[in-house]
C-alpha cells in the first residue's frame, strides 16, 4: 500500500534557489495538505486543497505556492528559498472534511544554507 | 479549530497502562476529538477519534467526558514502540466554504517516555 508518497526525502538548497516538493496519493482522496514542522514544534498548515483545481492558504503560506491539477498530485513550490524555510515538510490527505482519518507522508527534510 | 491543552511530557513503564489527558474546554458540538502520534523521524499517524461516546480500536481507547470538555487516550499495555509525541486535536465537521483553513491544528503534544 503506497498511501501518501513524498519526494525528495532530503534536500539541501542554497539561499535564493527554487525547488518543488512532490506529493502523490493513491487513495482517491479529495483533500490534500502541506504542513511544515520546525524542531520541537507541532505541525503548521501551509496550503490545502479540497479537490483538483481548488487550493487555499493555511496558517503559514508565505514563500510557497501549490497547484492541484489532478486528484493524485499536490506539489509544493518553494520560490527564492530562505533559511527560515529550513524545516521538515509533510504532505497529507484524507477523503473529505469530516471526522475521517488524515494520512501523512514520511516527510521531506529541507535545509536552506 | 478549538484549542487543546496537554501535558508536555509523561513517563510510564513498559507493559503498564498509560492515560494521556487532554483538556478542550472550548469544544463545540460539531468538533471531533482526534488523537495522532508521531514517532521519531516519521510523519504523524492516526490513533483514534470520537465525538461523544467512548471509542475502542486495536491501538487504544478514547474516554470522553460527559461534558466533552476533556478526554483521555488510554494505551492499555505500553510497549517501547509506543514512545512518541501524542497530539490531541479538535476537528470541526465543516463543508468547504471557500475561505479559512481546514485540516488538523497541531499543538506541541505530549512526549510519552516508556521505561523498560
Amino acid at each position: 500500500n503506497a498511501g501518501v508518497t513524498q519526494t525528495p526525502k532530503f534536500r539541501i538548497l542554497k539561499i535564493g534557489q527554487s525547488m518543488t516538493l512532490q506529493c502523490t496519493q493513491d487513495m482517491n482522496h479529495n483533500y490534500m495538505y502541506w504542513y511544515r514542522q520546525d524542531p520541537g514544534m507541532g505541525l503548521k498548515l501551509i496550503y490545502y486543497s479540497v479537490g483538483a483545481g481548488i487550493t487555499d492558504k493555511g496558517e503559514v503560506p508565505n514563500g510557497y505556492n501549490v497547484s492541484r491539477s489532478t486528484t493524485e498530485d499536490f506539489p509544493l513550490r518553494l520560490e527564492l528559498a530562505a533559511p527560515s524555510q529550513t524545516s521538515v515538510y509533510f504532505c497529507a490527505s484524507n477523503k473529505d472534511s469530516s471526522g475521517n482519518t488524515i494520512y501523512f507522508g514520511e516527510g521531506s527534510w529541507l535545509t536552506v544554507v | 479549530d478549538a484549542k487543546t491543552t496537554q501535558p508536555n511530557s509523561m513517563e510510564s513503564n513498559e507493559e503498564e497502562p498509560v492515560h494521556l489527558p487532554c483538556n478542550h474546554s472550548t469544544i463545540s458540538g460539531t468538533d471531533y476529538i482526534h488523537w495522532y502520534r508521531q514517532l521519531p523521524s516519521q510523519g504523524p499517524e492516526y490513533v483514534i477519534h470520537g465525538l461523544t461516546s467512548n471509542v475502542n480500536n486495536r491501538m487504544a481507547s478514547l474516554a470522553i467526558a460527559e461534558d466533552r470538555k476533556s478526554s483521555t487516550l488510554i494505551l492499555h499495555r505500553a510497549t517501547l514502540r509506543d514512545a512518541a509525541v501524542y497530539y490531541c486535536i479538535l476537528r470541526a465537521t465543516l463543508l468547504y466554504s471557500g475561505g479559512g483553513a481546514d485540516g488538523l491544528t497541531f499543538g506541541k503534544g505530549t512526549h510519552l517516555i516508556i521505561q523498560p
Side-chain angles (χ1 to χ4, degrees), chain B residues 37 45-48 57-61 74-76 82:
Chain B
R37 73 179 186 181
E45 65 173 345
Y46 169 81
V47 177
I48 201 166
N57 66 21
R58 63 176 179 81
M59 288 182 70
S61 295
I74 303 165
L75 306 179
H76 294 286
D82 291 320

Side-chain angles (χ1 to χ4, degrees), chain A residues 31 33 35 37 40-43 45 48 50 54-58 90 94 96-102 104-106 109, chain B residues 32 34 36 38 41-46 49 87 91-96 98-108:
Chain A
Y31 279 55
Y33 312 86
Y35 291 87
Q37 185 175 32
M41 306 296 288
L43 281 70
L45 184 65
Y48 71 106
V50 301
I54 306 171
T55 62
D56 208 347
K57 296 178 180 179
F90 291 99
N94 79 316
D96 56 36
S97 67
S98 72
N100 290 333
T101 301
I102 292 185
F104 286 84
E106 294 185 343
W109 274 255
Chain B
Y32 279 84
H34 284 246
Y36 282 72
Q38 188 174 21
S41 300
Q42 294 188 25
E45 65 173 345
Y46 169 81
H49 78 282
Y87 297 99
R91 188 167 184 225
T93 303
L94 296 173
L95 295 176
Y96 177 65
D102 191 36
L104 303 171
T105 300
F106 286 79
K108 291 188 178 181

Side-chain angles (χ1 to χ4, degrees), chain A residues 14-101:
Chain A
K14 294 184 179 179
I15 294 172
Q17 286 186 322
S18 300
M19 75 160 296
T20 299
L21 297 176
Q22 302 291 345
C23 177
T24 186
Q25 51 90 11
D26 61 358
M27 297 173 281
N28 199 32
H29 283 169
N30 293 321
Y31 279 55
M32 295 187 74
Y33 312 86
W34 274 107
Y35 291 87
R36 60 175 286 172
Q37 185 175 32
D38 299 329
M41 306 296 288
L43 281 70
K44 293 186 177 180
L45 184 65
I46 305 172
Y47 270 96
Y48 71 106
S49 168
V50 301
I54 306 171
T55 62
D56 208 347
K57 296 178 180 179
E59 182 183 358
V60 290
N62 291 343
Y64 307 94
N65 279 300
V66 293
S67 60
R68 186 92 182 273
S69 57
T70 66
T71 299
E72 294 79 19
D73 301 309
F74 190 41
L76 177 71
R77 178 88 177 154
L78 280 73
E79 303 282 3
L80 299 174
S84 61
Q85 293 178 303
T86 294
S87 191
V88 184
Y89 292 83
F90 291 99
C91 181
S93 74
N94 79 316
K95 186 178 179 182
D96 56 36
S97 67
S98 72
N100 290 333
T101 301

Side-chain angles (χ1 to χ4, degrees), chain B residues 25-86:
Chain B
S25 59
T26 59
I27 190 170
S28 72
T30 57
D31 285 340
Y32 279 84
I33 302 162
H34 284 246
W35 283 83
Y36 282 72
R37 73 179 186 181
Q38 188 174 21
L39 279 65
S41 300
Q42 294 188 25
E45 65 173 345
Y46 169 81
V47 177
I48 201 166
H49 78 282
L51 186 61
T52 56
S53 303
N54 295 344
V55 183
N56 300 296
N57 66 21
R58 63 176 179 81
M59 288 182 70
S61 295
L62 176 60
I64 301 172
E66 196 168 330
D67 63 4
R68 300 210 326 126
K69 293 185 176 182
S70 65
S71 61
T72 302
L73 177 70
I74 303 165
L75 306 179
H76 294 286
R77 196 161 168 266
T79 70
L80 295 177
R81 287 174 293 181
D82 291 320
V85 179
Y86 286 79

